[in-house]
Amino acid sequence: MGRVSSCAVYAIGSSLTAPPVQNHTLGWTGTLSPAQERAARFLTNALNSNKKECLIWAVCGAGKTEMLFEAILESLKKNYRVLIATPRSDVVRELEPRIRQAFPKTSIAALYGGSEDRYKNAHITISTTHQLLRFHHAFDFTIIDEVDAFPYDSDPKLRYAVRRAAKPDTLTAYVTATPDQTMQNIAASQKLPAIKVPRRYHGHPLPVPEYRWAAGWRKKAVKGKVPCNLEHWLETVLGERKQVFLFVPSIRILTLVLPYLQEKFPETDGVYSEDDQRAEKVLTFREGKTRLLLTTTILERGVTVKGVQVGVLGADDHVFTESALVQIAGRAGRSPDEPTGDVIFFHDGKTRAMVKAKNQILMMNRVEVIK
């Protein structure tokens, strides 16, 4: 939102009229898997039956965005304003080109800090949840992507903003790979209509995390070094010309170990929430110009890089919750050409979150896929 003081004038986009009618078409020509097709029909039926809420619980890499297209097109044909909300600006940047390509004749606005679209009146709005404080009863169909992600999951203000941005008695669809326990319980009691998509779109199981003991990793980090087994793993995968996401628990840890890893592996960079070059560094990694990218949990969701290997330094740190670890593991094996990949949790003692994250992945891999 930028800097706001108590004397500033605050304007809210209340009761915005729909943009001019357009000849909406779906430019995506791919084919949904049977599980994706079921989820797409489920969402469209929820939209047409005037339900207020529903949940799509789909594993990382299931192709959640493509499942939304049918319901979005149905809404556009009714001249509805569609909102796709997500807690992270990185996910907005990831979604925007995909939605523009899927709906080439539809007006689209992308809202995040510094966006030039903030006053654009569009049929589809892709927005961080913070930006929704600008709206009041403006959207006919709301999709909340990664509903369990920080800061949305822990900030009542943002949940209030989403509710107020939607028109009364319209559908809100929650889409996530890691619904919290409360949402799971409500869905299990059938008070929240829900559908589960336990397979990735290419049909391969999720990569299962491997635990590797890294005693005293904090002390090593303070000295600007990393555990020997982590360094050996990096030598192996980078020697095979693969790319690596290395997640660390804090900016402090990142800044301490980054110089050492850059000396050992020259094609290395680091990125965190307050980094002014955050978007540029992620793009450079996508383009393969960076081989090893150190990151905090800001990139646990919404970022897809083909063939990437995943490591977590200090997986036992409290910042790595069950949902964060599941999402982090979900960065690997997303491409049908490379459906497998390493997911290594380097730790100094297994935590409940680590165990529950691995068990959740194993559970999803065991769920029978309904054709």
Side-chain angles (χ1 to χ4, degrees):
M1 298 295 290
R3 183 176 179 177
V4 179
S5 61
S6 60
C7 60
V9 176
Y10 187 54
I12 301 172
S14 178
S15 301
L16 292 175
T17 57
V21 176
Q22 294 176 290
N23 182 25
H24 304 287
T25 59
L26 181 58
W28 184 72
T29 57
T31 303
L32 296 176
S33 69
Q36 286 178 304
E37 181 63 37
R38 286 180 59 245
R41 286 198 306 268
F42 166 83
L43 184 57
T44 303
N45 291 338
L47 181 69
N48 292 330
S49 59
N50 299 318
K51 286 185 169 59
K52 292 185 179 181
E53 292 182 311
C54 68
L55 167 66
I56 297 179
W57 181 358
V59 298
C60 297
K64 294 188 286 290
T65 304
E66 289 75 15
M67 298 177 205
L68 307 176
F69 290 163
E70 183 180 331
I72 291 175
L73 183 61
E74 184 88 4
S75 298
L76 294 173
K77 289 179 178 179
K78 298 177 180 179
N79 204 32
Y80 283 176
R81 286 169 55 90
V82 179
L83 169 64
I84 304 174
T86 180
R88 307 282 178 87
S89 60
D90 300 280
V91 182
V92 175
R93 294 188 184 97
E94 172 97 6
L95 283 173
E96 181 187 5
R98 297 172 65 187
I99 298 298
R100 289 191 186 279
Q101 186 176 24
F103 299 95
K105 296 182 180 180
T106 300
S107 58
I108 296 170
L111 305 181
Y112 50 87
S115 167
E116 297 179 357
D117 291 348
R118 66 179 64 185
Y119 301 116
K120 186 175 180 180
N121 189 16
H123 279 98
I124 300 177
T125 298
I126 312 166
S127 175
T128 60
T129 48
H130 283 85
Q131 295 296 322
L132 297 179
L133 291 165
R134 302 179 184 277
F135 296 95
H136 180 265
H137 294 176
F139 300 101
D140 304 278
F141 176 32
T142 300
I143 300 163
I144 307 179
D145 189 26
E146 308 296 2
V147 67
D148 60 299
F150 179 85
Y152 180 82
D153 64 334
S154 57
D155 191 340
K157 174 179 79 271
L158 297 180
R159 296 194 290 274
Y160 168 74
V162 171
R163 289 195 302 270
R164 191 181 63 170
K167 292 181 180 178
D169 300 321
T170 56
L171 177 65
T172 297
Y174 307 109
V175 184
T176 183
T178 49
D180 62 27
Q181 194 60 54
T182 300
M183 184 169 283
Q184 291 183 40
N185 292 342
I186 297 172
S189 68
Q190 299 185 344
K191 293 179 182 179
L192 174 66
I195 191 169
K196 187 181 291 184
V197 184
R199 283 287 183 277
R200 291 179 157 180
Y201 71 96
H202 52 54
H204 293 272
L206 300 164
V208 179
E210 177 186 340
Y211 302 139
R212 291 195 186 174
W213 181 257
W217 65 264
R218 288 183 178 85
K219 292 181 179 179
K220 289 182 181 293
V222 169
K223 297 177 181 178
K225 295 185 178 181
V226 298
C228 295
N229 57 352
L230 169 57
E231 188 172 331
H232 177 71
W233 175 71
L234 290 173
E235 287 176 351
T236 301
V237 293
L238 293 173
E240 297 171 351
R241 299 302 296 167
K242 295 178 180 178
Q243 288 181 276
V244 178
F245 268 136
L246 180 60
F247 289 84
V248 297
S250 67
I251 298 174
R252 178 174 177 268
I253 296 295
L254 189 151
T255 54
L256 285 170
V257 303
L258 180 60
Y260 178 80
L261 291 173
Q262 286 178 321
E263 183 180 347
K264 289 284 183 179
F265 311 105
E267 296 173 303
T268 297
D269 211 339
V271 64
Y272 50 91
S273 58
E274 299 170 6
D275 193 336
D276 294 335
Q277 297 180 303
R278 174 175 168 178
E280 292 81 359
K281 289 180 178 180
V282 173
L283 179 61
T284 301
F285 188 70
R286 287 182 192 280
E287 294 172 346
K289 298 175 183 176
T290 303
R291 307 303 301 176
L292 169 60
L293 186 63
L294 275 68
T295 178
T296 56
T297 54
I298 60 162
L299 296 185
E300 72 182 35
R301 303 164 188 260
V303 179
T304 300
V305 179
K306 181 180 177 180
V308 74
Q309 312 297 299
V310 177
V312 182
L313 172 60
D316 52 306
D317 190 274
H318 69 89
V319 74
F320 293 117
T321 62
E322 175 190 355
S323 63
L325 291 171
V326 170
Q327 292 284 354
I328 286 169
R331 300 310 98 204
R334 298 173 73 94
S335 169
D337 300 326
E338 299 184 54
T340 61
D342 285 354
V343 179
I344 313 295
F345 292 169
F346 294 92
H347 67 95
D348 194 4
K350 287 187 291 185
T351 62
R352 181 175 297 180
M354 290 169 58
V355 174
K356 291 178 72 174
K358 185 172 182 177
N359 287 343
Q360 183 181 148
I361 291 170
L362 289 169
M363 179 271 292
M364 284 301 226
N365 284 344
R366 288 194 298 266
V367 172
E368 182 179 356
V369 180
I370 301 175
K371 302 294 184 181

